[in-house]
Each structure stands twice: as structure tokens, then as C-alpha cells.
Amino acid sequence: MVAESGGPEDQKPQSDEARSAFAPPAGTSHPASPPEEDHPTSEFALPTGVHQEQAGPAGPGGGSGGGTNSDTLSSAFTPPATYRAQQSPPAFTPAQGIPMVRLTKEAPWQDRMRTMLRMPVTERPATEAIQRTDDETGPAVPRVLDLTLRIGELLLAGGEGAEDVEAAMFAVTRSYGLDRSEPTVTFTLLSISHQPSLVDDPVTASRTVRRRGTDYTRLAAVFRLVDDITSTDTEISLEEAYRRLAEIRRNRHPYPGWVLTAAAGLLAGSASVLVGGGFLVFVVAAAGAMLGDRLAWLCAGRGLPEFYQFTVAAMPPAAMGVALTLTHSTDVRPSAVITGGLFALLPGRALVAGVQDGLTGYYITASARLLEVMYFFIGIVAGVLIILYLGVQLGAQLNPEAEFIPNDRPALQILVSMTLSLAFAVLLQQERSTVLAVTLNGGVAWIVFGAMARTGGISPVAATAVAAGLVGLFGQLFSRYRFTSSLPYITAAIGPLLPGSATYFGLLGVAQNEVNRGLTSLSTAVATALAIAIGVNLGSEISRLFMGVPGAIGGASRRAAKRTRGF
């Protein structure tokens, strides 16, 4: 057909520049259409061949046919053709608007912030009341973030749980108007990020916790500062908040060093009487614990890690017990002396915090805390085992069959359990106003444990869990009444429940080459420790479950942590 189409000029092939890459090949026919630029169309017009139902002449498709050649531009806000008012999808905003989530101001800030942390970001309510700032344009973002990190550092260093630390940081930033902030807490690192809007660059700051200490008086002062910052009745500028935070840091501990050493001796002596010792056992156990405490302070002053401090502190009580065994005295129970010394060293505070972080979904922080507890426990085991091994080599007749004295002294045991909690509260540097409450809480814990384990014949682990649950419940009630942390009312009260005796008999079995017996007793100690931590957390959650929960209007329930049913 090319040869019949024309002369030689028509038979000459065209160059690549003369042809379009989108031109149809020769021999094919296509409908002629006017140039595209003469018929501009809308990007929201329906494509050719798609028909719209119930579309009028000025329907969403642009014309009566809804094709691409329509001259009428459609709107980007026009509902799609399948939209029905009776069956509107939930993504559309209802006519009455989205209901605002309100959190009751009467609730403690811990509960309000914890509720918001467990909410999706899109469902969080509006910002809290903004505190007064020096600049009318708004708060200085870097200074607010720095203040927030410093407050979080004090809380985390004082042993507060990761969720409560995040709640405090979130409360501070929202009170100063930074509602688009996300705090993150791990074992040694705190970070917070604030993004003013979706088009602005985020501002991120972090702080590392280098040093940890136990001072619940300072912890309570930080909680009062956060409570004042989040309160609408008190106006605290950034300068005032920084000044109060500096005072909290500079404040000395409420008890001098000699009082702490005497409290360690009182704790060990009370624990020895609790497991069956007499007055002489009380004196010997107190002397061993005080000597171990002074040696630990000496090691700390020389810069030795805490692992070696626990190892050194565990040696004097064990040496006292072995020395009493070598004297062949029948009136003294060496096992009670060593057990009392272990009570003063077991890291119950770190254990409770670690398990609480794990139960609330902070698994990295929980793993680090439990690893720290394991190292401390290994240090205690190493110190006691060294002394027990030396005692066995010297011929000390340590009796692994010794058990608790039956419950024939209930009044005395209740009294010494309260004394133990009192001494523990002093060691934790608690405020004097909280000592009485935590002492009574410790007595209630031992009464419940004794009634279930001794009188009722229930498993000691189960009895410990129930008693620890009541400790957590009462501690949460006390903290809500005082608007402060629950740790000062909980940690010291679990002192009488710590597994000091099971730990000692487990170590003794290992030292005497009875590994199976020793491991069984150590397993009981671990199970008891976990029962304490889980019971305390469960009691706290139960208190929040049955109290007025700050949530959305209409009875919205409190969010669970992280995930549900493993999905």
C-alpha cells in the first residue's frame, strides 16, 4: 500500500524528530478529537464510561453525563456518589460536632495524665490550663522541655515507675501549653519531643540519669511541685518552678547518717525476732546489720559499684550467725540472725518498680530494673555464701531443717512487723508525716499473712500475694488522700513480707552441697518476691478500678496499657 500511495517523496520514511512517540501506527484508525487544551477538565471529574447515579445537570460529575468533556468543574468537598445521609460512614464529622473529652479536675493529676497517655493521640482532650509565662507570646519551648526533663530525672532516680514519670512529664508540658509533646522514659534515659504543628520542625531534648538515690522526702516534694503546676488555682511561672526545683535538689536528707545506721540495725533485729529469735538474737542481728551498713558506706565512698557494696554488707550478719553456731549455744538461733541481716539488704523497692513497669507495658525499663535486682541478689548471695562456706569448713553445725517458730507469739510478731516497717521507712528517707501510716500498713500486711498462712494453712506464696495486694490498695488510698506518690506508703509496708528466710535456707543448702534443697528454697524466695510485686500492682489497679475514673463524658472506661489479647 505504500508503493501505491504516491511518489518517491511519499515513500521516504520520516525521521524520529518528525514523529510523536504517542502517534498511532500506520494502518490504524482512531476517532478524531479536538486538541486537549481547548477542553480543560477538572481533576475531580468522573472518567469516561463511569456513570453517576441521580446526578442532575449540575451534578457532582460536572455535566449531565458526568464525562470528562464537561465544562463544569466539580468541588473537592462534594460527597461521593455512593454517600447516603442515612448510612454515613463514621469518618465523617457528625452534624453536632465531635464531643469534647473532659477530665475532672477533682481527680489527681496522676490519674488524668495516665488516662491521656493510654488514649490514642487523636482522642486526647484539649490542653490543660496554661500557666503564666514571662513572655506574652507563649512559653519558651526549650526551657519548658528542660524543666520537664529535670523533674522526670528526679522522679526516675527516686525509684518511681516509668508510667508515673511519663505522666508527670506530660502534665508539666500540657500545663505550660505544649500539648503536642510525647515523653519517653527508659531505665537511664529520658527524652521528650514537641512539635508545634504539622508543618513545624519538632524540638527534642533528652537527659541521662547518672546517679540514683533513695529519698522519698524529695520524691514527695517533686510530686507537690507537679501538683501545683497542674493546678488551676496556682500560677507558677517557669522561673518560680526552676527556683522550687533547685530548693528540692539542695535540701538535705531528713535523717542523718547515724540514724540510718541505727534504722538498719533495728530492721535486722526486728526481722530476726519475726522469724523466731529472742532478745539476744535481736541484739546480735542489729549489730551485724549496722556493721555491714558502715562497711557498705565505706565502699561507696571509695567508688566501688553497688554489687560489691551488697556483697560486703551481707558478710557481717552471716559471720555473726556462724560465730554463734561455733559457740554451741542452744538458746540462740543463728539462722534468725542471718535472716534478719538479709531482710535489711533485699532490694524490695527495685523489685516492685521493675515488675510494675513490666505489668504496665514498659518492658525495656522493666528488664533493666529486674536485671539490677538480679545483680544485687547475686551480690548478697556471694557475700553470704563465702561466710557460710568458711563456717562449714570450720565445723559450724548449721541446721538446714530449722524453720519458723509456730504462731505462738502473734502479738509480739505484729509489734515487730510494725517496727520493721518503721525502720524501713526511715531508711527510705520518708517524711515524718507518712511514717505512722506506713507502719500501720505494714502491721496490717503481717496480720493478713499470718491469718492466711499460719492459721488458715494457705500457701505462703498465695498469702503473701493477698497481703501485698492490700498493701498496694491502702497505699493507693493514702496517696490519693495526700495527692502524692504511693511509693512512700507501699515500699516500707512490704518489708515484713520479704523472703529473707527462704533465701537463707536456699543459700545454706547450696553451701552444704545440697543443691536440690537449696534451689527449691531459692525458687520459693523468687516466687514470693514476684507475688509481692504483682500483688502490690494489682492492689493499686483495683483501687483505680473502683474509684471515680477521670474519662470522657458518657462513661468511657479507663484505657488498658499498650495492647489487648496479645494483638
Side-chain angles (χ1 to χ4, degrees):
M1 293 178 63
V2 177
E4 299 176 357
S5 61
E9 294 181 358
D10 297 332
Q11 300 178 5
K12 185 179 180 179
Q14 296 180 355
S15 62
D16 295 337
E17 291 81 2
R19 298 189 56 178
S20 172
F22 300 96
T28 61
S29 61
H30 60 89
S33 60
E36 185 179 359
E37 59 270 11
D38 294 340
H39 294 269
T41 59
S42 171
E43 295 180 358
F44 300 96
L46 295 175
T48 305
V50 178
H51 300 284
Q52 182 176 3
E53 298 179 0
Q54 298 179 1
S64 59
T68 59
N69 294 331
S70 174
D71 295 331
T72 305
L73 300 178
S74 60
S75 173
F77 301 97
T78 303
T82 57
Y83 176 77
R84 296 292 183 273
Q86 293 81 4
Q87 300 176 355
S88 59
F92 282 85
T93 304
Q96 67 273 13
I98 299 178
M100 180 181 295
V101 180
R102 297 182 182 272
L103 298 178
T104 57
K105 288 293 184 179
E106 293 76 12
W109 62 264
Q110 300 98 309
D111 290 341
R112 290 187 283 123
M113 295 304 113
R114 186 183 292 110
T115 301
M116 281 189 285
L117 284 175
R118 294 181 178 183
M119 284 182 180
V121 178
T122 56
E123 298 180 12
R124 288 177 181 173
T127 181
E128 299 283 331
I130 301 176
Q131 291 286 346
R132 179 173 57 86
T133 57
D134 299 332
D135 190 358
E136 295 180 356
T137 60
V141 174
R143 297 191 65 196
V144 173
L145 297 185
D146 179 71
L147 174 68
T148 303
L149 289 173
R150 291 177 183 272
I151 290 177
E153 178 190 10
L154 287 179
L155 294 177
L156 187 62
E160 193 64 61
E163 188 178 30
D164 291 330
V165 175
E166 280 196 4
M169 297 172 65
F170 199 62
V172 174
T173 55
R174 289 180 63 87
S175 297
Y176 285 106
L178 307 184
D179 55 332
R180 292 178 177 268
S181 298
E182 286 295 333
T184 303
V185 176
T186 58
F187 184 58
T188 58
L189 180 65
L190 300 99
S191 64
I192 187 168
S193 178
H194 170 68
Q195 189 172 13
S197 65
L198 296 178
V199 297
D200 294 328
D201 294 333
V203 181
T204 303
S206 61
R207 195 172 183 89
T208 303
V209 179
R210 303 287 184 184
R211 183 181 179 87
R212 298 178 181 273
T214 303
D215 190 344
Y216 281 178
T217 300
R218 178 179 296 175
L219 189 69
V222 176
F223 265 76
R224 282 193 294 270
L225 174 60
V226 177
D227 185 63
D228 290 340
I229 291 176
T230 57
S231 175
T232 56
D233 301 330
T234 307
E235 291 187 357
I236 299 181
S237 63
L238 286 175
E239 296 297 334
E240 177 67 17
Y242 268 108
R243 185 190 63 80
R244 289 184 56 178
L245 192 62
E247 290 180 354
I248 293 173
R249 285 180 173 274
R250 286 195 302 265
N251 283 347
R252 294 180 177 273
H253 298 304
Y255 306 104
W258 67 269
V259 174
L260 298 180
T261 301
L266 180 62
L267 191 155
S270 301
S272 64
V273 175
L274 194 65
V275 296
F279 178 75
L280 181 59
V281 170
F282 176 90
V283 173
V284 175
M290 288 189 291
L291 179 59
D293 180 77
R294 286 293 90 191
L295 290 177
W297 277 97
L298 181 63
C299 294
R302 295 298 185 270
L304 285 179
E306 287 183 298
F307 175 86
Y308 302 105
Q309 297 176 28
F310 275 84
T311 302
V312 172
M315 288 182 176
M320 293 283 187
V322 172
L324 288 177
T325 303
L326 293 175
T327 60
H328 303 287
S329 176
T330 58
D331 298 332
V332 179
R333 291 171 55 88
S335 60
V337 175
I338 301 176
T339 300
L342 291 177
F343 264 88
L345 295 176
L346 292 177
R349 173 181 60 88
L351 175 68
V352 171
V355 175
Q356 179 181 358
D357 288 341
L359 294 177
T360 52
Y362 294 84
Y363 301 113
I364 297 178
T365 308
S367 301
R369 288 186 189 270
L370 294 178
L371 185 62
E372 181 187 43
V373 171
M374 186 188 73
Y375 273 108
F376 291 164
F377 189 77
I378 291 176
I380 297 172
V381 167
V384 175
L385 277 181
I386 291 173
I387 300 301
L388 291 181
Y389 181 76
L390 292 177
V392 170
Q393 298 301 316
L394 293 175
Q397 300 296 324
L398 298 171
N399 184 14
E401 302 295 336
E403 296 292 344
F404 288 117
I405 289 181
N407 191 17
D408 54 355
R409 308 182 299 176
L412 179 61
Q413 289 182 332
I414 294 173
L415 179 62
V416 296
S417 66
M418 297 174 64
T419 306
L420 191 153
S421 299
L422 172 65
F424 205 169
V426 174
L427 284 176
L428 293 174
Q429 304 276 3
Q430 291 190 196
E431 293 180 307
R432 291 177 174 86
S433 59
T434 64
V435 171
L436 177 60
V438 74
T439 300
L440 295 176
N441 204 8
V444 171
W446 182 257
I447 290 174
V448 174
F449 171 79
M452 296 182 65
R454 305 289 179 79
T455 306
I458 301 176
S459 169
V461 176
T464 301
V466 174
L470 289 178
V471 168
L473 177 62
F474 292 153
Q476 198 64 231
L477 293 175
F478 282 129
S479 68
R480 283 168 174 265
Y481 177 72
R482 299 292 298 272
F483 282 82
T484 184
S485 173
S486 61
L487 288 181
Y489 301 99
I490 291 177
T491 306
I494 65 173
L497 304 177
L498 293 176
S501 181
T503 303
Y504 163 69
F505 289 119
L507 299 179
L508 181 59
V510 173
Q512 292 182 338
N513 250 346
E514 298 180 1
V515 180
N516 293 334
R517 182 193 299 272
L519 292 179
T520 301
S521 187
L522 288 177
S523 300
T524 303
V526 172
T528 303
L530 292 178
I532 292 174
I534 296 175
V536 166
N537 181 265
L538 182 60
S540 300
E541 293 295 329
I542 289 176
S543 68
R544 299 190 188 103
L545 184 64
F546 289 101
M547 286 185 171
V549 177
I553 296 178
S557 59
R558 184 170 64 92
R559 300 278 180 174
K562 305 300 180 186
R563 63 182 183 180
T564 306
R565 297 187 185 92
F567 298 128

